[in-house]
Amino acid sequence: MLEFLRGRDVLVAGWGVSGRSLIEPLKDIGARPVVTDAGAKAMAEAAELGLDTATSADLLEPEALQRFALVITSPGWRPDSPVLASAVTEGIPVWGDVEFAWWVDQARIYGPVRKWLVITGTNGKTTTTQMTHSILRAAGIPSVACGNIGLPILDALRRNPGPQILAVELSSFQLHWAPSVRPEAGVVLNVAEDHLDWHGGLDAYAAAKARALTGRVGVVGLDDAVASALARKSKARRTVGFRIGVPADGELGVVDGKLLDRAFTKAAILAEVGDISPQGPAGVADALAAAALTRSIDVAPQFVKEGLQEHKVGPHRAAHVRELLGVEFIDDSKATNPHAARSSILAHPNVIWVAGGQLKGASVEDLVEEVREHLVAAVVFGVDAPVIAAALARHAPDVPVVELSSGDDQGMGDPFTSEIEPDAVMARAVRVAAGFAHRGDTVLLAPAAASLDMFADYTHRGRSFAAAVQALDEKDIGRTE
């Protein structure tokens, strides 16, 4: 499948983590990588490594793209990006880095073909991927967690000794650009409004997620209406489901506080709900999904139990930061859409909600209406803070709301550049939130939005929240200004 690339130029569109991972494999199969990126710094870095580069302007010249046998795009590039759209018009194939990694694996460039366990969904992907990897480690199976979780798949394939199984977290962007992937097993955890601006609507977004259900075994979250509906459209040879409730035949579920498998055996107890981290319905659902994936490749129940017991929640995922005068501070910066924020808020009875950022076309109306009884107050910031504040005014008019902007505190913005100082905004948000809090309350960072309007990424946002919390004094609790 990759022979057509030997001796040919291949355009690498995007010099990020995935773009860098393409270079050595392309060279290993005899192709010549050429890098394009909108950033001058990125282009300079690629050139310093001795790589050929091409600007978008050069590539859009008549017939300029004809030199390339293939374009491999970073997942964030939209299909209507000028270079990608021009390549399609000229009949040049466009792959994502995941698609290319799939064919590199199938061609046995770096050893025997691996089994791919693919994890996707609007929320819970990273936790489920980590749980899956933890179970595989407990079973003694050489494996690696890769993909959207941070390690590019190509880097995982090039490891020596190499893994036998890949626990692959894939975003909707990656799946859109990877139509050939046929995993050993794949799961769609849930589907809620997210990245609608990129995909053009919920149907296209769900269709991208459904590409995880094309292999030997497909797994769907039955408690999620959209994911459950995908079971009827699954192209997997066998499709099973999981639910937080009593499982029917062919399902995994929960009975008397125990995770039960009735899909891959008559009935097998896999783990105790109390052993799952993170606690709560979302964590249990992720554990059931990880159990389904690993049971589909005959991992014994005892190793599912051991792996789930050993797994601990990662940073910025409903992580406890501090308790001060009976007020708990929780960092769930990874809650980058309303669906994720919903699970986070509903896990606590009395919440001072810290939220805001880029909603990416998602609506918060249903979220606010559902969680309003849990809200003591809300502090919102970021580009879509007015949208969240308006939803709160409509559906939770009795909940106090403070909307912050760059002018709300000294030092929050540079008056000469109008640049927002995100850490100062966060510090102000945390102080205001703490002022609403009393013993038994939870100050919860669950933004329901992406972070890039203010922060480098969600981890920066979470670190900023944690630093602001640590800077609080007892006198800040319950002291509205």
Side-chain angles (χ1 to χ4, degrees):
M1 179 64 184
L2 299 177
E3 286 299 318
F4 77 104
L5 300 178
R6 190 174 301 279
R8 299 289 306 279
D9 289 344
V10 173
L11 182 64
V12 175
W15 186 243
V17 174
S18 61
R20 291 179 180 86
S21 74
L22 292 163
I23 303 305
E24 292 307 316
L26 283 169
K27 291 179 177 178
D28 288 344
I29 63 176
R32 295 187 296 268
V34 179
V35 175
T36 187
D37 192 282
K41 183 178 179 180
M43 293 282 276
E45 181 181 311
E48 287 175 5
L49 295 175
L51 298 169
D52 289 339
T53 61
T55 68
S56 295
D58 291 337
L59 293 169
L60 294 175
E61 290 292 323
E63 301 182 357
L65 287 168
Q66 290 298 326
R67 63 185 278 206
F68 297 106
L70 175 68
V71 176
I72 307 180
T73 178
S74 294
W77 282 46
R78 293 167 57 125
D80 58 1
S81 299
V83 170
L84 304 187
S86 295
V88 171
T89 298
E90 297 189 30
I92 301 167
V94 179
W95 292 2
D97 62 297
V98 174
E99 177 83 355
F100 179 69
W102 173 260
W103 288 113
V104 165
D105 192 26
Q106 298 302 301
R108 296 175 169 81
I109 303 298
Y110 299 115
V113 175
R114 280 71 169 187
K115 290 181 178 179
W116 291 37
L117 302 181
V118 166
I119 299 96
T120 195
T122 303
N123 298 300
K125 294 186 295 295
T126 298
T127 299
T128 303
T129 303
Q130 292 170 332
M131 287 176 167
T132 301
H133 187 214
S134 183
I135 294 168
L136 294 170
R137 285 200 309 266
I141 300 172
S143 59
V144 66
C146 57
N148 195 56
I149 200 170
L151 177 69
I153 301 170
L154 288 164
D155 288 354
L157 293 175
R158 295 175 63 220
R159 286 189 170 185
N160 188 16
Q164 294 177 7
I165 297 179
L166 306 180
V168 188
E169 177 186 330
L170 293 182
S171 69
S172 59
F173 303 156
Q174 291 169 313
L175 285 161
H176 173 89
W177 292 117
S180 301
V181 172
R182 299 291 181 268
E184 182 71 11
V187 61
V188 178
L189 300 167
N190 45 60
V191 180
E193 288 188 346
D194 200 15
H195 304 301
L196 303 190
D197 51 350
W198 197 98
H199 289 281
L202 184 60
D203 288 346
Y205 174 61
K209 294 292 190 186
R211 285 185 169 172
L213 308 176
T214 56
R216 186 177 67 83
V217 176
V219 182
V220 297
L222 297 174
D223 293 325
D224 182 270
V226 181
S228 180
L230 292 179
R232 297 189 291 273
K233 303 176 183 178
S234 172
K235 297 180 181 179
R237 292 201 292 276
R238 182 189 179 195
T239 302
V240 303
F242 64 90
R243 67 174 75 245
I244 305 176
V246 178
D249 289 341
E251 297 176 1
L252 290 84
V254 179
V255 177
D256 296 330
K258 295 177 174 57
L259 276 63
L260 187 69
D261 173 14
R262 298 191 65 190
F264 301 100
T265 186
K266 185 175 181 179
I269 295 173
L270 302 177
E272 301 282 340
V273 167
D275 291 336
I276 305 302
S277 173
Q279 288 283 297
V284 173
D286 294 342
L288 288 165
L293 291 174
T294 51
R295 290 290 291 142
S296 76
I297 56 169
D298 298 324
V299 172
Q302 71 188 75
F303 298 124
V304 174
K305 179 178 181 178
E306 290 177 19
L308 292 176
Q309 286 176 330
E310 291 170 4
H311 173 266
K312 300 302 176 187
V313 67
H316 315 301
R317 296 172 176 84
H320 172 84
V321 176
R322 184 185 184 189
E323 184 175 316
L324 185 61
L325 292 182
V327 176
E328 187 176 21
F329 292 81
I330 298 292
D331 166 18
D332 198 10
S333 184
K334 189 67 167 63
T336 57
N337 55 65
H339 188 266
R342 171 190 176 275
S343 298
S344 197
I345 295 168
L346 292 178
H348 307 279
N350 303 304
V351 171
I352 294 89
W353 184 27
V354 181
Q358 298 165 301
L359 288 171
K360 303 169 291 182
S363 170
V364 292
E365 301 291 327
D366 290 345
L367 165 66
V368 172
E369 189 168 13
E370 184 173 2
V371 306
R372 61 188 175 188
E373 298 300 326
H374 291 251
L375 298 180
V376 174
V379 182
V380 297
F381 55 79
V383 65
D384 283 329
V387 178
I388 301 174
L392 285 159
R394 281 190 291 273
H395 301 293
D398 295 332
V399 174
V401 178
V402 177
E403 183 180 341
L404 300 183
S405 68
S406 60
D408 281 337
D409 206 9
Q410 183 178 1
M412 290 178 69
D414 185 330
F416 298 102
T417 65
S418 298
E419 290 183 355
I420 294 173
E421 295 292 341
D423 293 332
V425 176
M426 183 63 79
R428 172 67 170 163
V430 168
R431 287 199 306 274
V432 173
F436 284 109
H438 296 87
R439 183 175 298 276
D441 292 343
T442 299
V443 174
L444 172 67
L445 174 67
S451 59
L452 298 182
D453 59 326
M454 290 173 56
F455 298 91
D457 51 29
Y458 78 86
T459 65
H460 175 199
R461 181 169 61 189
R463 292 193 303 272
S464 182
F465 175 80
V469 169
Q470 296 299 344
L472 291 175
D473 191 273
E474 289 185 357
K475 68 178 185 297
D476 294 314
I477 301 297
R479 181 180 176 181
T480 54
E481 300 178 7

